[in-house]
Coordinates of all heavy atoms in Angstrom, one line a residue:
M11 N 0.8 -1.2 0.0 CA 0.0 0.0 0.0 C 0.9 1.2 0.0 O 1.8 1.4 0.8 CB -0.9 0.0 1.2 CG -1.6 1.2 1.5 SD -2.5 1.2 3.1 CE -2.7 2.9 3.4
T12 N 0.6 2.2 -0.9 CA 1.3 3.4 -0.9 C 0.3 4.5 -0.6 O -0.9 4.4 -0.9 CB 1.9 3.7 -2.2 OG1 0.9 3.7 -3.3 CG2 3.0 2.7 -2.6
L13 N 0.7 5.5 0.1 CA -0.2 6.6 0.5 C -0.2 7.7 -0.7 O 0.8 8.0 -1.2 CB 0.3 7.3 1.7 CG 0.3 6.5 3.0 CD1 1.0 7.2 4.1 CD2 -1.1 6.0 3.4
T14 N -1.4 8.2 -0.9 CA -1.5 9.2 -1.9 C -1.1 10.6 -1.2 O -1.0 10.6 0.0 CB -3.0 9.3 -2.5 OG1 -3.8 9.7 -1.4 CG2 -3.4 8.0 -3.1
N15 N -1.0 11.6 -2.0 CA -0.7 12.9 -1.5 C -1.8 13.4 -0.6 O -1.5 14.0 0.5 CB -0.5 13.9 -2.7 CG 0.3 15.1 -2.3 OD1 1.0 15.1 -1.3 ND2 0.2 16.2 -3.1
K16 N -3.0 13.2 -0.9 CA -4.1 13.6 -0.1 C -4.1 12.9 1.2 O -4.4 13.5 2.3 CB -5.4 13.3 -0.9 CG -6.7 13.8 -0.2 CD -7.9 13.6 -1.1 CE -9.1 14.2 -0.5 NZ -10.3 14.0 -1.4
Q17 N -3.8 11.6 1.2 CA -3.8 10.8 2.5 C -2.6 11.2 3.3 O -2.8 11.3 4.6 CB -3.7 9.3 2.1 CG -4.9 8.7 1.5 CD -4.7 7.3 0.9 OE1 -3.6 7.0 0.6 NE2 -5.8 6.6 0.8
T18 N -1.5 11.5 2.7 CA -0.3 12.0 3.5 C -0.6 13.4 4.2 O -0.3 13.6 5.3 CB 0.9 12.2 2.6 OG1 1.1 10.9 1.9 CG2 2.1 12.6 3.3
Q19 N -1.3 14.3 3.4 CA -1.7 15.5 4.0 C -2.6 15.4 5.2 O -2.5 16.1 6.2 CB -2.3 16.4 2.9 CG -1.3 16.9 1.9 CD -0.1 17.7 2.4 OE1 -0.3 18.5 3.3 NE2 1.0 17.5 1.8
Y20 N -3.6 14.4 5.0 CA -4.5 14.2 6.1 C -3.8 13.7 7.3 O -4.1 14.1 8.5 CB -5.5 13.1 5.6 CG -6.5 12.7 6.6 CD1 -7.6 13.6 7.0 CD2 -6.5 11.5 7.2 CE1 -8.5 13.2 8.0 CE2 -7.4 11.1 8.2 CZ -8.4 11.9 8.5 OH -9.3 11.6 9.5
L21 N -2.9 12.7 7.2 CA -2.1 12.2 8.3 C -1.2 13.2 8.9 O -1.1 13.3 10.2 CB -1.3 11.0 7.8 CG -2.1 9.7 7.5 CD1 -1.2 8.7 6.9 CD2 -2.8 9.2 8.7
K22 N -0.7 14.1 8.2 CA 0.1 15.2 8.7 C -0.7 16.1 9.6 O -0.3 16.5 10.7 CB 0.7 16.1 7.6 CG 1.9 15.5 6.9 CD 2.4 16.4 5.8 CE 3.5 15.8 5.0 NZ 3.9 16.8 3.9
G23 N -1.9 16.4 9.2 CA -2.9 17.2 10.0 C -3.2 16.5 11.3 O -3.3 17.1 12.4
L24 N -3.4 15.1 11.3 CA -3.7 14.4 12.5 C -2.5 14.4 13.4 O -2.7 14.4 14.6 CB -4.1 13.0 12.1 CG -5.5 12.7 11.5 CD1 -5.7 11.2 11.2 CD2 -6.6 13.2 12.3
A25 N -1.3 14.3 12.9 CA -0.1 14.1 13.7 C 0.3 15.5 14.3 O 1.1 15.5 15.2 CB 1.0 13.6 12.8
H26 N -0.2 16.6 13.8 CA 0.3 17.9 14.3 C 0.2 18.0 15.8 O 1.2 18.5 16.4 CB -0.5 19.0 13.6 CG -0.1 20.3 14.0 ND1 1.1 20.9 13.5 CD2 -0.6 21.3 14.8 CE1 1.3 22.1 14.0 NE2 0.2 22.4 14.8
S27 N -0.8 17.6 16.4 CA -1.0 17.8 17.9 C -0.4 16.6 18.7 O -0.4 16.7 19.9 CB -2.5 17.9 18.2 OG -3.1 16.7 17.8
L28 N 0.2 15.6 18.0 CA 0.7 14.5 18.8 C 2.1 14.8 19.4 O 2.8 15.6 18.8 CB 0.9 13.3 17.9 CG -0.3 12.7 17.2 CD1 0.1 11.5 16.3 CD2 -1.3 12.1 18.3
K29 N 2.4 14.2 20.5 CA 3.7 14.3 21.1 C 4.5 13.0 20.7 O 3.9 12.0 20.5 CB 3.6 14.4 22.7 CG 2.8 15.5 23.1 CD 3.6 16.8 23.1 CE 2.8 17.9 23.7 NZ 3.0 19.2 22.9
P30 N 5.8 13.1 20.7 CA 6.6 11.9 20.4 C 6.3 10.8 21.4 O 6.3 11.0 22.6 CB 8.0 12.4 20.5 CG 8.0 13.8 20.2 CD 6.7 14.3 20.8
V31 N 6.0 9.6 20.9 CA 5.7 8.4 21.7 C 7.0 7.7 22.1 O 7.1 7.2 23.2 CB 4.7 7.5 20.9 CG1 4.5 6.2 21.7 CG2 3.4 8.2 20.6
V32 N 7.9 7.6 21.2 CA 9.2 6.9 21.4 C 10.3 7.9 21.1 O 10.3 8.7 20.2 CB 9.3 5.7 20.4 CG1 10.6 5.0 20.6 CG2 8.2 4.8 20.6
Q33 N 11.3 7.8 22.0 CA 12.5 8.7 21.8 C 13.8 7.8 21.9 O 13.9 7.0 22.9 CB 12.6 9.7 22.9 CG 13.8 10.6 22.8 CD 13.8 11.8 23.7 OE1 12.7 12.2 24.2 NE2 14.9 12.5 23.8
L34 N 14.6 7.9 20.9 CA 15.9 7.1 20.9 C 16.8 7.6 22.0 O 16.9 8.8 22.2 CB 16.6 7.2 19.6 CG 16.2 6.1 18.6 CD1 14.8 6.3 18.1 CD2 17.1 6.1 17.4
G35 N 17.5 6.7 22.7 CA 18.4 7.0 23.8 C 19.8 7.0 23.3 O 20.1 7.0 22.1
G36 N 20.7 6.9 24.2 CA 22.2 6.9 23.9 C 22.6 5.7 23.2 O 23.6 5.8 22.5
N37 N 21.9 4.6 23.3 CA 22.3 3.4 22.6 C 21.9 3.4 21.1 O 22.2 2.4 20.4 CB 21.7 2.1 23.3 CG 22.3 2.0 24.7 OD1 23.4 2.4 25.0 ND2 21.6 1.3 25.6
G38 N 21.1 4.4 20.7 CA 20.7 4.4 19.3 C 19.5 3.5 19.1 O 18.7 3.2 19.9
L39 N 19.5 3.0 17.8 CA 18.4 2.1 17.4 C 18.7 0.7 17.7 O 19.5 0.1 17.1 CB 18.2 2.3 15.9 CG 17.0 1.6 15.3 CD1 15.7 2.2 15.9 CD2 17.0 1.8 13.8
T40 N 18.0 0.2 18.8 CA 18.2 -1.2 19.2 C 17.0 -2.0 18.9 O 15.9 -1.5 18.5 CB 18.5 -1.3 20.7 OG1 17.4 -0.7 21.4 CG2 19.8 -0.4 21.1
E41 N 17.1 -3.3 19.1 CA 15.9 -4.2 18.9 C 14.8 -3.8 19.9 O 13.6 -3.9 19.5 CB 16.3 -5.7 19.1 CG 17.2 -6.2 18.0 CD 17.5 -7.7 18.3 OE1 16.8 -8.4 19.0 OE2 18.5 -8.1 17.7
G42 N 15.1 -3.4 21.1 CA 14.1 -3.0 22.1 C 13.4 -1.8 21.6 O 12.1 -1.7 21.8
V43 N 14.1 -0.8 21.0 CA 13.4 0.4 20.5 C 12.5 0.0 19.3 O 11.4 0.5 19.3 CB 14.5 1.4 20.1 CG1 13.8 2.6 19.4 CG2 15.3 1.9 21.3
I44 N 13.0 -0.8 18.4 CA 12.1 -1.3 17.3 C 10.8 -1.9 17.8 O 9.7 -1.7 17.3 CB 12.9 -2.2 16.4 CG1 14.0 -1.5 15.6 CG2 12.0 -2.9 15.4 CD1 13.5 -0.5 14.6
A45 N 11.0 -2.8 18.8 CA 9.8 -3.5 19.4 C 8.9 -2.5 20.0 O 7.6 -2.6 19.9 CB 10.3 -4.5 20.5
E46 N 9.4 -1.5 20.7 CA 8.6 -0.4 21.3 C 7.8 0.4 20.2 O 6.6 0.7 20.4 CB 9.4 0.5 22.1 CG 8.7 1.4 23.0 CD 7.9 0.7 24.2 OE1 8.4 -0.3 24.7 OE2 6.9 1.2 24.5
I47 N 8.5 0.7 19.1 CA 7.9 1.4 18.0 C 6.7 0.6 17.4 O 5.7 1.1 17.2 CB 8.9 1.8 17.0 CG1 9.9 2.9 17.5 CG2 8.2 2.3 15.7 CD1 11.1 3.2 16.7
E48 N 7.0 -0.7 17.2 CA 6.0 -1.6 16.6 C 4.8 -1.7 17.5 O 3.6 -1.7 17.1 CB 6.6 -3.0 16.3 CG 7.5 -3.0 15.1 CD 8.1 -4.3 14.8 OE1 8.1 -5.2 15.7 OE2 8.5 -4.5 13.7
Q49 N 5.0 -1.8 18.8 CA 3.9 -1.9 19.8 C 3.1 -0.6 19.8 O 1.9 -0.6 19.8 CB 4.4 -2.1 21.2 CG 3.3 -2.3 22.2 CD 3.9 -2.5 23.6 OE1 5.1 -2.4 23.9 NE2 3.0 -2.9 24.5
A50 N 3.8 0.6 19.7 CA 3.1 1.9 19.7 C 2.3 2.0 18.4 O 1.2 2.5 18.4 CB 4.1 3.0 19.8
L51 N 2.9 1.5 17.3 CA 2.2 1.6 16.0 C 0.9 0.7 16.0 O -0.1 1.1 15.5 CB 3.1 1.1 14.8 CG 4.0 2.2 14.3 CD1 5.0 1.5 13.3 CD2 3.3 3.3 13.6
S52 N 1.0 -0.5 16.6 CA -0.2 -1.3 16.6 C -1.3 -0.8 17.5 O -2.4 -1.0 17.2 CB 0.2 -2.7 17.1 OG 0.6 -2.7 18.5
H53 N -0.9 0.0 18.5 CA -1.9 0.6 19.3 C -2.4 2.0 18.8 O -3.6 2.2 18.8 CB -1.3 0.9 20.7 CG -2.3 1.3 21.8 ND1 -2.5 2.6 22.1 CD2 -3.1 0.6 22.5 CE1 -3.5 2.7 23.0 NE2 -3.8 1.4 23.3
H54 N -1.5 2.8 18.2 CA -1.9 4.2 17.8 C -2.1 4.3 16.3 O -2.7 5.3 15.9 CB -0.9 5.2 18.3 CG -0.8 5.3 19.8 ND1 -1.8 5.8 20.6 CD2 0.2 4.9 20.6 CE1 -1.4 5.7 21.9 NE2 -0.3 5.1 21.9
E55 N -1.4 3.5 15.5 CA -1.3 3.6 14.0 C -0.5 4.8 13.5 O 0.2 4.7 12.5 CB -2.7 3.7 13.4 CG -3.6 2.5 13.5 CD -4.9 2.6 12.8 OE1 -5.7 3.4 13.2 OE2 -5.0 1.8 11.9
L56 N -0.6 5.9 14.1 CA 0.2 7.1 13.7 C 0.9 7.6 14.9 O 0.4 8.0 15.9 CB -0.8 8.2 13.2 CG -0.2 9.5 12.7 CD1 0.5 9.3 11.4 CD2 -1.3 10.5 12.5
I57 N 2.3 7.6 14.8 CA 3.1 8.1 15.9 C 4.2 9.0 15.5 O 4.6 9.0 14.3 CB 3.7 6.9 16.7 CG1 4.7 6.1 15.8 CG2 2.6 6.0 17.3 CD1 5.5 5.1 16.6
K58 N 4.8 9.7 16.5 CA 6.0 10.4 16.3 C 7.1 9.8 17.0 O 7.0 9.3 18.1 CB 5.8 11.9 16.8 CG 5.0 12.8 16.0 CD 4.9 14.2 16.5 CE 4.1 15.1 15.7 NZ 4.1 16.5 16.3
V59 N 8.3 9.7 16.4 CA 9.5 9.2 17.0 C 10.6 10.3 17.0 O 10.8 10.9 16.0 CB 10.0 8.0 16.2 CG1 11.3 7.4 16.9 CG2 9.0 6.9 16.1
K60 N 11.2 10.5 18.2 CA 12.2 11.6 18.3 C 13.6 10.9 18.2 O 13.9 10.0 18.9 CB 12.0 12.3 19.6 CG 12.9 13.6 19.7 CD 12.5 14.5 20.7 CE 13.4 15.7 20.7 NZ 13.0 16.7 21.6
I61 N 14.4 11.5 17.3 CA 15.7 11.0 17.0 C 16.7 12.1 17.3 O 17.0 12.9 16.5 CB 15.8 10.5 15.6 CG1 14.8 9.4 15.3 CG2 17.2 9.9 15.3 CD1 14.5 9.2 13.9
P62 N 17.3 12.1 18.6 CA 18.2 13.2 18.9 C 19.6 12.9 18.4 O 20.5 12.5 19.1 CB 18.2 13.1 20.5 CG 17.9 11.7 20.8 CD 17.0 11.2 19.7
S63 N 19.8 13.2 17.1 CA 21.2 13.1 16.5 C 21.5 14.4 15.8 O 20.6 14.9 15.1 CB 21.2 11.9 15.6 OG 22.4 11.9 14.9
D64 N 22.7 14.8 15.9 CA 23.1 16.0 15.2 C 23.6 15.8 13.8 O 23.7 16.7 13.0 CB 24.2 16.8 16.0 CG 23.7 17.3 17.3 OD1 22.5 17.7 17.4 OD2 24.4 17.4 18.3
D65 N 24.0 14.5 13.5 CA 24.5 14.2 12.2 C 23.4 13.9 11.3 O 22.6 12.9 11.5 CB 25.4 12.9 12.4 CG 26.1 12.5 11.1 OD1 26.1 13.3 10.1 OD2 26.7 11.4 11.0
R66 N 23.2 14.6 10.2 CA 22.1 14.5 9.3 C 22.1 13.1 8.6 O 21.0 12.5 8.5 CB 22.2 15.6 8.2 CG 21.6 16.8 8.6 CD 21.5 17.7 7.3 NE 20.5 18.7 7.5 CZ 20.3 19.8 6.8 NH1 21.2 20.0 5.8 NH2 19.4 20.6 7.1
E67 N 23.2 12.7 8.1 CA 23.3 11.4 7.5 C 22.9 10.2 8.4 O 22.2 9.3 8.0 CB 24.7 11.1 6.9 CG 25.0 12.1 5.7 CD 24.0 12.0 4.6 OE1 23.6 10.9 4.2 OE2 23.6 13.1 4.1
E68 N 23.4 10.3 9.6 CA 23.0 9.3 10.6 C 21.5 9.3 10.9 O 20.9 8.2 11.0 CB 23.8 9.5 11.9 CG 23.5 8.5 13.0 CD 24.2 8.8 14.3 OE1 24.7 9.9 14.5 OE2 24.2 7.9 15.2
K69 N 21.0 10.5 11.0 CA 19.5 10.6 11.2 C 18.7 10.0 10.1 O 17.8 9.3 10.3 CB 19.2 12.1 11.4 CG 18.0 12.4 12.2 CD 17.8 13.8 12.6 CE 18.6 14.8 12.0 NZ 18.4 16.2 12.4
K70 N 19.2 10.3 8.8 CA 18.5 9.7 7.7 C 18.5 8.2 7.7 O 17.5 7.5 7.4 CB 19.1 10.3 6.4 CG 18.6 11.6 6.0 CD 19.2 12.0 4.6 CE 18.9 13.4 4.2 NZ 19.5 13.7 2.9
L71 N 19.7 7.7 8.0 CA 19.8 6.2 8.1 C 18.9 5.6 9.1 O 18.3 4.6 8.9 CB 21.3 5.8 8.3 CG 22.3 6.1 7.2 CD1 23.7 5.8 7.6 CD2 21.9 5.2 6.0
I72 N 18.9 6.2 10.3 CA 18.1 5.7 11.4 C 16.6 5.8 11.0 O 15.8 4.8 11.2 CB 18.3 6.5 12.7 CG1 19.7 6.2 13.2 CG2 17.2 6.2 13.7 CD1 20.1 7.1 14.4
M73 N 16.2 6.9 10.4 CA 14.8 7.0 10.0 C 14.4 6.0 8.9 O 13.3 5.3 9.0 CB 14.5 8.4 9.4 CG 14.5 9.5 10.5 SD 14.2 11.1 9.8 CE 14.2 12.1 11.2
S74 N 15.3 5.8 7.9 CA 14.9 4.8 6.9 C 15.0 3.3 7.5 O 14.2 2.5 7.1 CB 15.9 4.9 5.7 OG 17.2 4.6 6.1
A75 N 15.8 3.1 8.5 CA 15.9 1.8 9.2 C 14.6 1.6 10.0 O 14.1 0.4 9.9 CB 17.1 1.7 10.1
I76 N 14.1 2.6 10.6 CA 12.8 2.5 11.4 C 11.7 2.1 10.5 O 10.9 1.2 10.7 CB 12.5 3.8 12.2 CG1 13.5 3.9 13.3 CG2 11.1 3.8 12.7 CD1 13.4 5.2 14.1
V77 N 11.6 2.8 9.3 CA 10.5 2.6 8.4 C 10.6 1.2 7.8 O 9.6 0.5 7.7 CB 10.5 3.7 7.3 CG1 9.6 3.3 6.2 CG2 10.2 5.1 7.9
G78 N 11.8 0.8 7.5 CA 12.0 -0.5 6.9 C 11.8 -1.7 7.9 O 11.1 -2.6 7.5
E79 N 12.3 -1.5 9.1 CA 12.1 -2.6 10.1 C 10.7 -2.8 10.5 O 10.2 -3.9 10.8 CB 13.0 -2.3 11.3 CG 14.4 -2.4 11.1 CD 14.9 -3.9 11.0 OE1 14.3 -4.7 11.7 OE2 15.8 -4.2 10.2
T80 N 9.9 -1.7 10.6 CA 8.5 -1.7 11.1 C 7.5 -1.9 10.0 O 6.4 -2.1 10.2 CB 8.2 -0.5 11.9 OG1 8.3 0.7 11.0 CG2 9.0 -0.3 13.1
K81 N 8.0 -1.8 8.7 CA 7.2 -1.9 7.5 C 6.0 -0.9 7.6 O 4.9 -1.2 7.3 CB 6.6 -3.3 7.4 CG 7.7 -4.4 7.1 CD 7.1 -5.8 7.1 CE 8.1 -6.8 6.8 NZ 9.2 -6.9 7.8
S82 N 6.4 0.3 8.0 CA 5.4 1.4 8.1 C 5.6 2.4 7.0 O 6.5 2.2 6.1 CB 5.6 2.1 9.5 OG 6.9 2.6 9.6
H83 N 4.8 3.4 7.0 CA 4.9 4.5 5.9 C 5.4 5.8 6.6 O 4.9 6.2 7.6 CB 3.5 4.8 5.3 CG 2.9 3.6 4.7 ND1 3.3 3.1 3.5 CD2 1.9 2.7 5.2 CE1 2.5 2.0 3.2 NE2 1.7 1.8 4.2
K84 N 6.4 6.4 6.0 CA 7.0 7.6 6.4 C 6.0 8.7 6.0 O 5.7 8.9 4.8 CB 8.4 7.9 5.9 CG 8.9 9.2 6.2 CD 10.3 9.4 5.6 CE 10.8 10.8 5.8 NZ 12.1 11.0 5.1
V85 N 5.4 9.4 6.9 CA 4.5 10.5 6.6 C 5.3 11.8 6.5 O 5.1 12.5 5.5 CB 3.4 10.7 7.7 CG1 2.5 11.8 7.4 CG2 2.6 9.4 7.8
Q86 N 6.2 12.1 7.4 CA 6.9 13.3 7.4 C 8.1 13.2 8.3 O 8.1 12.5 9.3 CB 6.0 14.5 7.8 CG 6.6 15.8 7.6 CD 5.6 16.9 8.0 OE1 4.7 16.7 8.8 NE2 5.7 18.1 7.3
A87 N 9.2 14.0 8.0 CA 10.3 14.1 8.9 C 10.7 15.6 9.0 O 11.0 16.2 8.0 CB 11.5 13.3 8.4
I88 N 10.6 16.1 10.2 CA 10.9 17.5 10.5 C 11.9 17.5 11.6 O 11.6 17.1 12.7 CB 9.7 18.3 10.9 CG1 8.6 18.3 9.8 CG2 10.1 19.8 11.2 CD1 7.4 19.0 10.1
G89 N 13.1 18.0 11.3 CA 14.1 18.1 12.3 C 14.5 16.8 12.9 O 14.9 15.9 12.2
H90 N 14.3 16.6 14.2 CA 14.6 15.4 14.9 C 13.4 14.5 15.0 O 13.5 13.4 15.7 CB 15.1 15.7 16.3 CG 16.4 16.5 16.3 ND1 17.6 15.9 16.0 CD2 16.6 17.8 16.5 CE1 18.5 16.9 16.0 NE2 18.0 18.0 16.4
V91 N 12.3 14.8 14.4 CA 11.0 14.1 14.6 C 10.6 13.4 13.3 O 10.5 14.0 12.3 CB 9.9 15.0 15.1 CG1 8.6 14.2 15.3 CG2 10.3 15.6 16.5
L92 N 10.3 12.1 13.5 CA 9.8 11.3 12.3 C 8.4 10.9 12.6 O 8.0 10.4 13.7 CB 10.7 10.0 12.2 CG 10.2 8.9 11.2 CD1 10.3 9.4 9.8 CD2 11.0 7.7 11.4
I93 N 7.5 11.1 11.6 CA 6.1 10.7 11.8 C 5.9 9.5 10.9 O 6.2 9.6 9.7 CB 5.1 11.8 11.4 CG1 5.4 13.1 12.2 CG2 3.7 11.4 11.5 CD1 4.7 14.3 11.7
I94 N 5.4 8.4 11.5 CA 5.2 7.2 10.7 C 3.7 6.7 10.9 O 3.1 6.9 12.0 CB 6.2 6.1 11.0 CG1 6.3 5.8 12.5 CG2 7.5 6.4 10.4 CD1 7.2 4.7 12.9
Y95 N 3.2 5.9 9.9 CA 1.9 5.4 9.9 C 1.9 4.0 9.5 O 2.6 3.6 8.6 CB 1.0 6.2 9.0 CG -0.4 5.6 8.7 CD1 -1.4 5.6 9.7 CD2 -0.6 4.9 7.5 CE1 -2.6 5.1 9.5 CE2 -1.9 4.4 7.3 CZ -2.8 4.4 8.3 OH -4.1 3.9 8.0
K96 N 1.2 3.1 10.3 CA 1.0 1.7 9.9 C -0.4 1.3 10.3 O -0.7 1.3 11.5 CB 2.0 0.8 10.6 CG 1.9 -0.6 10.2 CD 3.0 -1.4 10.8 CE 3.0 -2.9 10.4 NZ 4.0 -3.7 11.1
P97 N -1.3 1.0 9.4 CA -2.6 0.6 9.8 C -2.6 -0.7 10.5 O -1.9 -1.6 10.2 CB -3.4 0.4 8.4 CG -2.3 0.3 7.4 CD -1.1 0.9 7.9
S98 N -3.5 -0.7 11.6 CA -3.5 -2.0 12.4 C -4.5 -2.9 11.7 O -5.2 -2.6 10.7 CB -4.0 -1.6 13.8 OG -5.2 -1.1 13.8
K99 N -4.7 -4.1 12.3 CA -5.6 -5.1 11.8 C -7.1 -4.5 11.7 O -7.8 -4.8 10.8 CB -5.6 -6.4 12.6 CG -4.3 -7.1 12.4 CD -4.2 -8.4 13.2 CE -3.0 -9.2 13.0 NZ -1.7 -8.6 13.2
E100 N -7.4 -3.8 12.7 CA -8.7 -3.1 12.8 C -8.4 -1.6 12.8 O -8.3 -1.0 13.9 CB -9.5 -3.5 14.0 CG -9.9 -5.0 14.0 CD -10.6 -5.4 15.2 OE1 -11.2 -4.6 15.9 OE2 -10.6 -6.7 15.5
P101 N -8.3 -0.9 11.7 CA -7.9 0.5 11.6 C -8.9 1.4 12.3 O -10.1 1.2 12.2 CB -7.9 0.8 10.1 CG -7.9 -0.5 9.4 CD -8.5 -1.5 10.3
T102 N -8.3 2.3 13.1 CA -9.1 3.4 13.7 C -9.1 4.7 13.0 O -10.0 5.5 13.1 CB -8.7 3.6 15.2 OG1 -7.3 4.0 15.2 CG2 -8.9 2.4 16.0
I103 N -8.1 4.8 12.1 CA -7.9 6.0 11.3 C -8.5 5.7 9.9 O -8.0 4.7 9.3 CB -6.5 6.5 11.2 CG1 -5.9 6.9 12.6 CG2 -6.3 7.6 10.2 CD1 -4.4 7.2 12.6
S104 N -9.5 6.4 9.5 CA -10.0 6.1 8.1 C -9.4 7.2 7.2 O -9.6 8.4 7.4 CB -11.5 6.2 8.1 OG -12.0 7.4 8.6
L105 N -8.6 6.7 6.3 CA -8.0 7.6 5.3 C -8.9 8.0 4.2 O -9.8 7.3 3.9 CB -6.8 6.8 4.7 CG -5.6 6.5 5.5 CD1 -4.6 5.7 4.8 CD2 -5.0 7.7 6.1
P106 N -8.7 9.3 3.7 CA -9.6 9.7 2.6 C -9.3 8.8 1.4 O -8.2 8.3 1.2 CB -9.2 11.1 2.4 CG -8.0 11.4 3.2 CD -7.8 10.3 4.1
K107 N -10.3 8.7 0.6 CA -10.1 7.9 -0.7 C -9.2 8.7 -1.6 O -9.0 9.9 -1.5 CB -11.5 7.7 -1.4 CG -12.5 7.0 -0.5 CD -12.1 5.5 -0.4 CE -13.1 4.8 0.5 NZ -12.5 3.8 1.4
K108 N -8.6 8.0 -2.5 CA -7.6 8.5 -3.4 C -8.1 9.8 -4.1 O -7.7 10.7 -4.2 CB -7.3 7.5 -4.5 CG -7.1 6.1 -3.9 CD -6.1 5.4 -4.7 CE -6.0 3.9 -4.1 NZ -5.0 3.6 -3.3

């Protein structure tokens, strides 16, 4: 499933008021952090992840690793915050039609 531009804009609007649910610590991206992100995604579907890294390339690699490992969709990345979406088995967020 790929998100259309309209659906991405809708998710950005929903995510605006959210606070980061998961924040990476000093150990970086570990299996425990991935598990926590997956659990948060299954519960909330749309979450923010805070990645406190000053190196841009490292931050990009971490963000793409999170999206790849969790099989989620990257909605937006602003500064140190990544917004990702993954519909659960029983979706609570109804996306607009294409």
Side-chain angles (χ1 to χ4, degrees):
M11 170 185 157
T12 56
L13 296 174
T14 64
N15 199 19
K16 187 175 185 179
Q17 292 169 335
T18 304
Q19 293 299 324
Y20 177 74
L21 290 172
K22 284 180 186 178
L24 290 178
H26 184 72
S27 62
L28 297 177
K29 300 284 184 218
V31 175
V32 179
Q33 180 169 343
L34 269 68
N37 294 335
L39 188 61
T40 62
E41 289 180 22
V43 173
I44 292 289
E46 191 67 32
I47 291 171
E48 286 180 343
Q49 182 181 10
L51 276 171
S52 68
H53 189 266
H54 298 288
E55 292 184 294
L56 181 68
I57 64 167
K58 286 184 178 180
V59 179
K60 189 164 186 175
I61 303 163
S63 174
D64 293 330
D65 184 13
R66 275 189 157 165
E67 291 304 314
E68 180 185 11
K69 204 169 15 179
K70 280 185 182 178
L71 288 173
I72 291 173
M73 287 180 181
S74 62
I76 290 172
V77 171
E79 289 286 323
T80 59
K81 295 175 181 60
S82 59
H83 302 282
K84 177 181 171 185
V85 176
Q86 189 176 29
I88 299 177
H90 298 284
V91 179
L92 171 68
I93 302 169
I94 53 178
Y95 169 75
K96 183 177 181 182
S98 63
K99 289 179 176 57
E100 296 177 21
T102 55
I103 297 175
S104 58
L105 294 175
K107 300 291 181 217
K108 316 211 186 260

